Amino acid sequence: MAESLLFSVAETFIGKLTSRVLDEASLALGVYDDLRRIKDTSSLIKAVLLDAEQKQWQNNELREWLRQIKHVFSDAEDVIDDFECEALRMQVVNTSGSIRRKVRHYFSSSNPLAYRLKMAHQIKDINARLTKVAADRHNFGLQTNYSDTRIVQKRELTHSHIIESDVIGREHDKQIIIDLLLQDGDDKSLSVIPIVGMGGMGKTTLAKSVFNDERLGEAFQQKMWVCVSHDFELKHLLVKILNSASDSSPSENIQNFDIEQLQNHLRNTLADQKFLLVLDDVWNENRVKWEELKDLIQLCANGSKVLVTTRSHKTADMMSTNTSHILEGLSPKDSLTVFIKWAFKEGEDKKHPELMEVGENIVKKCGGLPLAIRTLGSSLFLKFDIEEWNFVKDSELWNLPQQDDGILPAIKLSYDQLPSYLKQCFACFSLFEKSFYYYDPEVTGIWDALDFLPTPENGENSGDIGKQLLLELWSRSFLQNFVYVGGSFCFELHDLVHDLALYVARDDFQLLNFQYENIRENVRHLSVLQNDLLSQISIPTGLRTILFPDGANSKPFLNNCLSRCKYLRLLEINNSRYKNLPRSIGKLKHLRCLRLVNNQELERLPDSVCKLQNLQTLELTNCQKLQKLPNGIGNLIKLQELYITTRQSNFPKELAKLSSLKILEFSYCDNLMFSFEGIQFPKLKLLAFASCGNLKSLPFHIIPNIETLIIVDCNMVILSMGDNNNQIPNIKLKFLSLDSLPQIVTFPQWFQGCANTLYTLGIQNCENLEELPNWLSTFISLKMLLIANCPKLISLPEDVHHLPNLEHLIMSGCPELYRRYEPEVGQDWYKISHIKDVTVELEETED
């Protein structure tokens, strides 16, 4: 199935062949002409790939040809990357190496003479293989197409929280469920109400609509939502329930509690409370496991209710204390309403009766399934060529039975219409388990490390492009529960969409979840979910990606991984129990992204990490025992993102060599007192400090370069510039977040320097903040203002109504502001009533 991703793979590979670094290196080593021939041959192959991808399902020989191409491109990419690595290593040696080191380098196994012979042989082999497969293209009668013209029409993002489609056609179902939940019963018994229906029917959407209904907020003192999926282990469920309970303490590490401790904590949390617990997407059909959980929550019943969503009638019958609610497909009228909502802008359907006629036939084939209707409607959004609509209507995929892999023809059709560059990005979701909650940096970081992102243009960076691709996937309804807050996205995938990701990516990507599951041949990207699986794995040498499971502590597996997987681009070891990493990690010269997040036992990194000249991202967030950064970090000349948690107070001056750095974040660096004197970071865009207890001032000389500044929980930091409390010229800040900063009483004058550029300002938990300056009303670009839990703040700037572009204003947990700006009745409500999206609350609401 990964053969459907080949066009984008070819495009990326050809792009590499045109890089300036590669040109210079190939000239120096005398292989320039060979690489030009590889580029020309690759272009001939690429020209027929789009047609080949469409026709491969009717031709086994064509499918085998595409598989051969995939292997050749994969090997060729390794050779080209090796070339770039050597060029980077030479650059480091020539700029920072001593004469002794240069001499040693010349006589080493990687000196230019030996290296030239090795590379010439490999390039000759790649050339021969590419020439052969290129000649075979004539055997299949393929049409040429040099560019993928499929585009995604993006929907407008108008709110900080993306609101899903209205619950169309489910009003009657919703009322039935609410009536059952509000129905009086035995206060000593637990009432369980299942919603049953096939995948994509809208069970979770209906349950969320019910869950958020105001009537239930009045009836239940505690509401909890738990996504269960296939994991019905008692301990995991108790942790999820406690985490969902609004009054459970987030600071308690209940992950480490045993069952008895969790039971006691649950009783204390739910004592004397009438609660509503939603168990979403339950697959468990084992009565013993259900009775274990039921007995525990039964003790806290108090007339409480459990709402269950499941595809299984057996599960519903086992759990129900009442009649189950069977969710049927939408009516033809409601189905068409949903389709129109997603396929057209409002009112546009009336202008295209010929498309509507085809659309009605498409809707009939969806069988009333909301997910299928929405996904197909989204794929046709702003497309007015009737041939494209007829292609969907007449596709042979409709005639295929739904297989036991659960792939709906309608969703597969929508996937087929994605541009090639989006298909390989979508495949990466297969590395995560169902019900995973995604954050855009971790997703786009994977795409970037694997070279899946299109080449940046017009001053864009990879993060910007990654966000654009996420918006395109959201526009096609592949992402749901999409939340946009402060420049970042959070989202989920529907189970059936996740099933599709597993299906289309199954040749190259594998999520290892069960014992005795074999790693498939030719897998390039591997994610392991359980620690006890590590001892069973035979690691393929061709891996490009490996994600370790939480709690990993197997040193043999780690050593084996680092010694065998020399082509790794992405290595993620989060939440592990390793105290150190072996020196052999320095041999992973292709590595672009190294994530070591929340490794509470990690004490040191080997200096060999600094040999990874290709590294673009290094994450050390929340490694609170890490003593210091490795020596030689200045050699990481391609590093763009650096996230640091260490115990050191001062950092080496060689940080100044990181001239490509775009993101720099310090968190839990309690000893940090570094002034950054003499360091500029010319390309830095984001600077963040979080929980740095001894940080007293900011590196003001860096601030003019950055666009995002985040300061959180730094108790001693003072934002003013001391005696020289003047403006900083030419500030480019677009996003500013200040959170839990007790030293702030008023805003420093230098903030005024970003009056023309700042579009988001967040101020939270600043307990001593007393006023906002009047000059804040001159911020002509400000679109979002968030103020939360600032009890001493008594008013907004007098001329707040003069902010010309303010669209979103949120004020919560600020009693004086609430009194003054309470909607309709506050004395100054008129000053903000014109703003498009205003929220004024006395208490901060729970997410």
PDB file of all heavy atoms in Angstrom, residues 359-381:
ATOM      1  N   GLY A 359     -24.443  14.515  -6.187  1.00  0.00           N
ATOM      2  CA  GLY A 359     -24.257  14.419  -4.751  1.00  0.00           C
ATOM      3  C   GLY A 359     -25.314  13.557  -4.080  1.00  0.00           C
ATOM      4  O   GLY A 359     -25.023  12.803  -3.143  1.00  0.00           O
ATOM      5  N   GLU A 360     -26.545  13.642  -4.540  1.00  0.00           N
ATOM      6  CA  GLU A 360     -27.619  12.824  -3.961  1.00  0.00           C
ATOM      7  C   GLU A 360     -27.331  11.342  -4.146  1.00  0.00           C
ATOM      8  O   GLU A 360     -27.591  10.527  -3.243  1.00  0.00           O
ATOM      9  CB  GLU A 360     -28.956  13.207  -4.594  1.00  0.00           C
ATOM     10  CG  GLU A 360     -29.470  14.573  -4.143  1.00  0.00           C
ATOM     11  CD  GLU A 360     -30.739  14.984  -4.873  1.00  0.00           C
ATOM     12  OE1 GLU A 360     -31.315  14.125  -5.591  1.00  0.00           O
ATOM     13  OE2 GLU A 360     -31.147  16.146  -4.744  1.00  0.00           O
ATOM     14  N   ASN A 361     -26.770  10.979  -5.301  1.00  0.00           N
ATOM     15  CA  ASN A 361     -26.408   9.576  -5.536  1.00  0.00           C
ATOM     16  C   ASN A 361     -25.244   9.135  -4.649  1.00  0.00           C
ATOM     17  O   ASN A 361     -25.212   8.003  -4.171  1.00  0.00           O
ATOM     18  CB  ASN A 361     -26.055   9.364  -7.006  1.00  0.00           C
ATOM     19  CG  ASN A 361     -27.282   9.392  -7.903  1.00  0.00           C
ATOM     20  OD1 ASN A 361     -28.293   8.771  -7.584  1.00  0.00           O
ATOM     21  ND2 ASN A 361     -27.210  10.121  -9.008  1.00  0.00           N
ATOM     22  N   ILE A 362     -24.283  10.034  -4.449  1.00  0.00           N
ATOM     23  CA  ILE A 362     -23.153   9.724  -3.559  1.00  0.00           C
ATOM     24  C   ILE A 362     -23.659   9.496  -2.143  1.00  0.00           C
ATOM     25  O   ILE A 362     -23.255   8.547  -1.459  1.00  0.00           O
ATOM     26  CB  ILE A 362     -22.110  10.862  -3.595  1.00  0.00           C
ATOM     27  CG1 ILE A 362     -21.428  10.923  -4.968  1.00  0.00           C
ATOM     28  CG2 ILE A 362     -21.071  10.686  -2.494  1.00  0.00           C
ATOM     29  CD1 ILE A 362     -20.512  12.117  -5.154  1.00  0.00           C
ATOM     30  N   VAL A 363     -24.558  10.373  -1.682  1.00  0.00           N
ATOM     31  CA  VAL A 363     -25.084  10.274  -0.322  1.00  0.00           C
ATOM     32  C   VAL A 363     -25.818   8.948  -0.121  1.00  0.00           C
ATOM     33  O   VAL A 363     -25.688   8.297   0.925  1.00  0.00           O
ATOM     34  CB  VAL A 363     -26.014  11.471  -0.018  1.00  0.00           C
ATOM     35  CG1 VAL A 363     -26.791  11.235   1.275  1.00  0.00           C
ATOM     36  CG2 VAL A 363     -25.202  12.755   0.078  1.00  0.00           C
ATOM     37  N   LYS A 364     -26.559   8.505  -1.102  1.00  0.00           N
ATOM     38  CA  LYS A 364     -27.288   7.228  -0.989  1.00  0.00           C
ATOM     39  C   LYS A 364     -26.314   6.077  -0.732  1.00  0.00           C
ATOM     40  O   LYS A 364     -26.609   5.147   0.015  1.00  0.00           O
ATOM     41  CB  LYS A 364     -28.083   6.958  -2.264  1.00  0.00           C
ATOM     42  CG  LYS A 364     -29.322   7.833  -2.427  1.00  0.00           C
ATOM     43  CD  LYS A 364     -30.011   7.544  -3.763  1.00  0.00           C
ATOM     44  CE  LYS A 364     -31.188   8.504  -3.989  1.00  0.00           C
ATOM     45  NZ  LYS A 364     -31.811   8.291  -5.321  1.00  0.00           N
ATOM     46  N   LYS A 365     -25.150   6.147  -1.373  1.00  0.00           N
ATOM     47  CA  LYS A 365     -24.178   5.064  -1.230  1.00  0.00           C
ATOM     48  C   LYS A 365     -23.516   5.055   0.149  1.00  0.00           C
ATOM     49  O   LYS A 365     -22.894   4.059   0.526  1.00  0.00           O
ATOM     50  CB  LYS A 365     -23.102   5.181  -2.315  1.00  0.00           C
ATOM     51  CG  LYS A 365     -23.654   4.989  -3.727  1.00  0.00           C
ATOM     52  CD  LYS A 365     -22.545   4.893  -4.757  1.00  0.00           C
ATOM     53  CE  LYS A 365     -23.126   4.574  -6.137  1.00  0.00           C
ATOM     54  NZ  LYS A 365     -22.088   4.241  -7.114  1.00  0.00           N
ATOM     55  N   CYS A 366     -23.640   6.150   0.896  1.00  0.00           N
ATOM     56  CA  CYS A 366     -23.032   6.235   2.229  1.00  0.00           C
ATOM     57  C   CYS A 366     -23.891   5.562   3.297  1.00  0.00           C
ATOM     58  O   CYS A 366     -23.448   5.404   4.438  1.00  0.00           O
ATOM     59  CB  CYS A 366     -22.782   7.693   2.616  1.00  0.00           C
ATOM     60  SG  CYS A 366     -21.479   8.499   1.648  1.00  0.00           S
ATOM     61  N   GLY A 367     -25.116   5.186   2.962  1.00  0.00           N
ATOM     62  CA  GLY A 367     -25.946   4.420   3.873  1.00  0.00           C
ATOM     63  C   GLY A 367     -26.263   5.114   5.186  1.00  0.00           C
ATOM     64  O   GLY A 367     -26.420   4.445   6.214  1.00  0.00           O
ATOM     65  N   GLY A 368     -26.336   6.441   5.172  1.00  0.00           N
ATOM     66  CA  GLY A 368     -26.699   7.162   6.388  1.00  0.00           C
ATOM     67  C   GLY A 368     -25.583   7.270   7.409  1.00  0.00           C
ATOM     68  O   GLY A 368     -25.815   7.668   8.555  1.00  0.00           O
ATOM     69  N   LEU A 369     -24.358   6.916   7.035  1.00  0.00           N
ATOM     70  CA  LEU A 369     -23.227   6.931   7.968  1.00  0.00           C
ATOM     71  C   LEU A 369     -22.612   8.335   8.015  1.00  0.00           C
ATOM     72  O   LEU A 369     -22.007   8.782   7.039  1.00  0.00           O
ATOM     73  CB  LEU A 369     -22.183   5.913   7.511  1.00  0.00           C
ATOM     74  CG  LEU A 369     -21.255   5.326   8.561  1.00  0.00           C
ATOM     75  CD1 LEU A 369     -22.036   4.549   9.601  1.00  0.00           C
ATOM     76  CD2 LEU A 369     -20.219   4.425   7.906  1.00  0.00           C
ATOM     77  N   PRO A 370     -22.740   9.053   9.133  1.00  0.00           N
ATOM     78  CA  PRO A 370     -22.293  10.462   9.192  1.00  0.00           C
ATOM     79  C   PRO A 370     -20.822  10.660   8.841  1.00  0.00           C
ATOM     80  O   PRO A 370     -20.481  11.598   8.130  1.00  0.00           O
ATOM     81  CB  PRO A 370     -22.582  10.863  10.647  1.00  0.00           C
ATOM     82  CG  PRO A 370     -23.663   9.941  11.095  1.00  0.00           C
ATOM     83  CD  PRO A 370     -23.413   8.646  10.387  1.00  0.00           C
ATOM     84  N   LEU A 371     -19.938   9.784   9.349  1.00  0.00           N
ATOM     85  CA  LEU A 371     -18.507   9.961   9.080  1.00  0.00           C
ATOM     86  C   LEU A 371     -18.215   9.848   7.591  1.00  0.00           C
ATOM     87  O   LEU A 371     -17.453  10.631   7.030  1.00  0.00           O
ATOM     88  CB  LEU A 371     -17.687   8.927   9.856  1.00  0.00           C
ATOM     89  CG  LEU A 371     -16.174   8.992   9.624  1.00  0.00           C
ATOM     90  CD1 LEU A 371     -15.595  10.298  10.156  1.00  0.00           C
ATOM     91  CD2 LEU A 371     -15.465   7.801  10.253  1.00  0.00           C
ATOM     92  N   ALA A 372     -18.843   8.873   6.919  1.00  0.00           N
ATOM     93  CA  ALA A 372     -18.629   8.690   5.484  1.00  0.00           C
ATOM     94  C   ALA A 372     -19.153   9.889   4.704  1.00  0.00           C
ATOM     95  O   ALA A 372     -18.491  10.393   3.785  1.00  0.00           O
ATOM     96  CB  ALA A 372     -19.330   7.408   5.025  1.00  0.00           C
ATOM     97  N   ILE A 373     -20.331  10.387   5.084  1.00  0.00           N
ATOM     98  CA  ILE A 373     -20.929  11.533   4.391  1.00  0.00           C
ATOM     99  C   ILE A 373     -20.059  12.771   4.566  1.00  0.00           C
ATOM    100  O   ILE A 373     -19.767  13.500   3.604  1.00  0.00           O
ATOM    101  CB  ILE A 373     -22.348  11.800   4.942  1.00  0.00           C
ATOM    102  CG1 ILE A 373     -23.258  10.586   4.689  1.00  0.00           C
ATOM    103  CG2 ILE A 373     -22.954  13.040   4.299  1.00  0.00           C
ATOM    104  CD1 ILE A 373     -24.561  10.620   5.471  1.00  0.00           C
ATOM    105  N   ARG A 374     -19.632  13.009   5.785  1.00  0.00           N
ATOM    106  CA  ARG A 374     -18.828  14.202   6.078  1.00  0.00           C
ATOM    107  C   ARG A 374     -17.481  14.154   5.366  1.00  0.00           C
ATOM    108  O   ARG A 374     -17.020  15.147   4.801  1.00  0.00           O
ATOM    109  CB  ARG A 374     -18.626  14.314   7.594  1.00  0.00           C
ATOM    110  CG  ARG A 374     -18.014  15.630   8.043  1.00  0.00           C
ATOM    111  CD  ARG A 374     -17.801  15.630   9.541  1.00  0.00           C
ATOM    112  NE  ARG A 374     -16.710  14.750   9.919  1.00  0.00           N
ATOM    113  CZ  ARG A 374     -16.472  14.346  11.168  1.00  0.00           C
ATOM    114  NH1 ARG A 374     -17.294  14.697  12.137  1.00  0.00           N
ATOM    115  NH2 ARG A 374     -15.449  13.567  11.437  1.00  0.00           N
ATOM    116  N   THR A 375     -16.835  12.977   5.391  1.00  0.00           N
ATOM    117  CA  THR A 375     -15.511  12.854   4.780  1.00  0.00           C
ATOM    118  C   THR A 375     -15.571  13.042   3.267  1.00  0.00           C
ATOM    119  O   THR A 375     -14.748  13.754   2.680  1.00  0.00           O
ATOM    120  CB  THR A 375     -14.898  11.485   5.115  1.00  0.00           C
ATOM    121  OG1 THR A 375     -14.916  11.298   6.533  1.00  0.00           O
ATOM    122  CG2 THR A 375     -13.464  11.394   4.634  1.00  0.00           C
ATOM    123  N   LEU A 376     -16.560  12.414   2.623  1.00  0.00           N
ATOM    124  CA  LEU A 376     -16.689  12.578   1.175  1.00  0.00           C
ATOM    125  C   LEU A 376     -17.108  13.993   0.809  1.00  0.00           C
ATOM    126  O   LEU A 376     -16.623  14.557  -0.173  1.00  0.00           O
ATOM    127  CB  LEU A 376     -17.697  11.569   0.622  1.00  0.00           C
ATOM    128  CG  LEU A 376     -17.137  10.194   0.258  1.00  0.00           C
ATOM    129  CD1 LEU A 376     -18.225   9.303  -0.310  1.00  0.00           C
ATOM    130  CD2 LEU A 376     -16.002  10.327  -0.746  1.00  0.00           C
ATOM    131  N   GLY A 377     -18.017  14.575   1.588  1.00  0.00           N
ATOM    132  CA  GLY A 377     -18.400  15.964   1.338  1.00  0.00           C
ATOM    133  C   GLY A 377     -17.204  16.884   1.417  1.00  0.00           C
ATOM    134  O   GLY A 377     -17.007  17.763   0.566  1.00  0.00           O
ATOM    135  N   SER A 378     -16.355  16.673   2.423  1.00  0.00           N
ATOM    136  CA  SER A 378     -15.156  17.507   2.580  1.00  0.00           C
ATOM    137  C   SER A 378     -14.204  17.343   1.414  1.00  0.00           C
ATOM    138  O   SER A 378     -13.549  18.293   0.984  1.00  0.00           O
ATOM    139  CB  SER A 378     -14.437  17.146   3.889  1.00  0.00           C
ATOM    140  OG  SER A 378     -15.246  17.410   5.005  1.00  0.00           O
ATOM    141  N   SER A 379     -14.110  16.114   0.875  1.00  0.00           N
ATOM    142  CA  SER A 379     -13.175  15.882  -0.232  1.00  0.00           C
ATOM    143  C   SER A 379     -13.619  16.592  -1.510  1.00  0.00           C
ATOM    144  O   SER A 379     -12.800  16.827  -2.409  1.00  0.00           O
ATOM    145  CB  SER A 379     -13.049  14.372  -0.489  1.00  0.00           C
ATOM    146  OG  SER A 379     -14.215  13.859  -1.101  1.00  0.00           O
ATOM    147  N   LEU A 380     -14.909  16.954  -1.591  1.00  0.00           N
ATOM    148  CA  LEU A 380     -15.430  17.636  -2.782  1.00  0.00           C
ATOM    149  C   LEU A 380     -15.638  19.131  -2.544  1.00  0.00           C
ATOM    150  O   LEU A 380     -16.178  19.827  -3.411  1.00  0.00           O
ATOM    151  CB  LEU A 380     -16.757  16.991  -3.206  1.00  0.00           C
ATOM    152  CG  LEU A 380     -16.648  15.537  -3.689  1.00  0.00           C
ATOM    153  CD1 LEU A 380     -18.022  14.910  -3.837  1.00  0.00           C
ATOM    154  CD2 LEU A 380     -15.877  15.471  -5.006  1.00  0.00           C
ATOM    155  N   PHE A 381     -15.200  19.624  -1.408  1.00  0.00           N
ATOM    156  CA  PHE A 381     -15.400  21.021  -1.037  1.00  0.00           C
ATOM    157  C   PHE A 381     -14.776  21.957  -2.076  1.00  0.00           C
ATOM    158  O   PHE A 381     -13.595  21.828  -2.426  1.00  0.00           O
ATOM    159  CB  PHE A 381     -14.798  21.272   0.342  1.00  0.00           C
ATOM    160  CG  PHE A 381     -14.955  22.678   0.850  1.00  0.00           C
ATOM    161  CD1 PHE A 381     -16.215  23.208   1.076  1.00  0.00           C
ATOM    162  CD2 PHE A 381     -13.851  23.466   1.112  1.00  0.00           C
ATOM    163  CE1 PHE A 381     -16.363  24.499   1.553  1.00  0.00           C
ATOM    164  CE2 PHE A 381     -13.991  24.753   1.593  1.00  0.00           C
ATOM    165  CZ  PHE A 381     -15.258  25.276   1.807  1.00  0.00           C
TER     166      PHE A 381
END
